[in-house]
Amino acid sequence: EPEVTQTPSHQVTQMGQEVILRCVPISNHLYFYWYRQILGQKVEFLVSFYNNEISEKSEIFDDQFSVERPDGSNFTLKIRSTKLEDSAMYFCASSVHEAQPQHFGDGTRLSIL
Amino acid sequence: GEDVEQSLFLSVREGDSSVINCTYTDSSSTYLYWYKQEPGAGLQLLTYIFSNMDMKQDQRLTVLLNKKDKHLSLRIADTQTGDSAIYFCAESGQAGTALIFGKGTTLSVSS
């Protein structure tokens, strides 16, 4: 069964450094998403992306964050200058259509030191 | 704002049925979902129900939706030790694309 893949599985970064999290969505899916889960808290929506532009974003997704689809398969989340509070599990998801179920990857655990 | 609430823990014996409950606030939800998260793994889509349905059955899983009370439940029949995981309820909110998750219910199955 096709699946969403995320790399790396764990990223350790110094505070203030830039980090890029990578995702390969399911190949026939058109909508892409990023969520995060801070330890012990709810899974929170960050951003959705369709047709090479952001379709929706949350208050969490401030100017420090950006998303990109650099080629036909990858979907990336960049955090420009990481803060301690960015430490979380980041999940990528994709769906065929915006109203269709979202399929999630295994996540990238981001640890900011 | 929109919110999803779940009880945090459920403990059952192997072979029993498990019922995980969820309440939500957004009456305009289109779909409601159940995701499963095993230790160290991602969110696995278990099942979902469209908001105009009352019930959906898929093998050992039964989803019941009470739109009037904004209550969703997931019943797992003949619960196995491999069902031990965190179960998340989620709804598609008014904005249409963002999923709003509950905090998750940790299901512990003892043999």
Side-chain angles (χ1 to χ4, degrees):
Chain A
E1 186 175 322
E3 56 183 30
V4 176
T5 56
Q6 291 186 242
T7 55
S9 55
H10 191 190
Q11 173 83 43
V12 182
T13 302
Q14 291 287 333
M15 187 172 59
Q17 296 294 305
E18 175 184 284
V19 67
I20 297 176
L21 310 182
R22 301 180 192 280
C23 169
V24 179
I26 295 172
S27 62
N28 65 332
H29 286 189
L30 301 177
Y31 288 78
F32 315 119
Y33 313 84
W34 284 100
Y35 291 80
R36 78 171 185 192
Q37 184 181 28
I38 294 172
L39 189 64
Q41 297 187 23
K42 292 186 177 186
V43 176
E44 301 171 290
F45 169 76
L46 293 178
V47 65
S48 60
F49 190 85
Y50 168 69
N51 200 26
N52 279 321
E53 57 184 38
I54 291 172
S55 51
E56 185 184 356
K57 62 181 181 179
S58 71
E59 291 175 356
I60 304 167
F61 194 87
D62 60 22
D63 292 343
Q64 294 285 80
F65 292 89
S66 61
V67 289
E68 192 180 30
R69 187 146 163 86
D71 53 42
S73 60
N74 288 284
F75 178 52
T76 62
L77 173 71
K78 184 193 290 187
I79 308 174
R80 194 171 64 224
S81 177
T82 49
K83 303 187 282 282
L84 292 176
E85 53 265 38
D86 294 327
S87 294
M89 182 73 93
Y90 287 81
F91 292 106
C92 173
S94 67
S95 64
V96 174
H97 184 272
E98 65 178 347
Q100 292 297 310
Q102 297 175 24
H103 296 262
F104 284 74
D106 282 346
T108 293
R109 180 167 298 285
L110 178 63
S111 300
I112 307 299
L113 304 179
Chain B
E2 298 132 351
D3 197 17
V4 176
E5 295 290 336
Q6 301 176 238
S7 52
L8 294 182
F9 299 101
L10 177 65
S11 183
V12 300
R13 296 184 68 88
E14 194 173 21
D16 289 349
S17 291
S18 307
V19 180
I20 302 171
N21 294 299
C22 168
T23 57
Y24 60 96
T25 57
D26 184 3
S27 57
S28 66
S29 295
T30 308
Y31 285 100
L32 295 124
Y33 303 87
W34 286 103
Y35 285 87
K36 177 184 179 183
Q37 186 179 35
E38 296 183 29
L43 297 165
Q44 175 197 352
L45 178 65
L46 268 185
T47 186
Y48 61 97
I49 189 167
F50 190 54
S51 58
N52 68 355
M53 297 170 64
D54 298 324
M55 185 182 89
K56 180 178 179 181
Q57 188 147 3
D58 184 2
Q59 299 181 342
R60 290 191 298 123
L61 305 179
T62 302
V63 179
L64 294 177
L65 174 61
N66 181 329
K67 275 196 79 173
K68 176 173 163 289
D69 294 338
K70 296 179 193 164
H71 182 267
L72 181 75
S73 67
L74 173 69
R75 180 177 180 270
I76 306 172
D78 187 25
T79 313
Q80 302 297 306
T81 53
D83 294 325
S84 293
I86 302 175
Y87 290 80
F88 291 93
C89 172
E91 62 163 349
S92 57
Q94 280 186 346
T97 58
L99 291 183
I100 298 165
F101 284 84
K103 268 195 150 180
T105 298
T106 299
L107 175 64
S108 174
V109 183
S110 57
S111 54

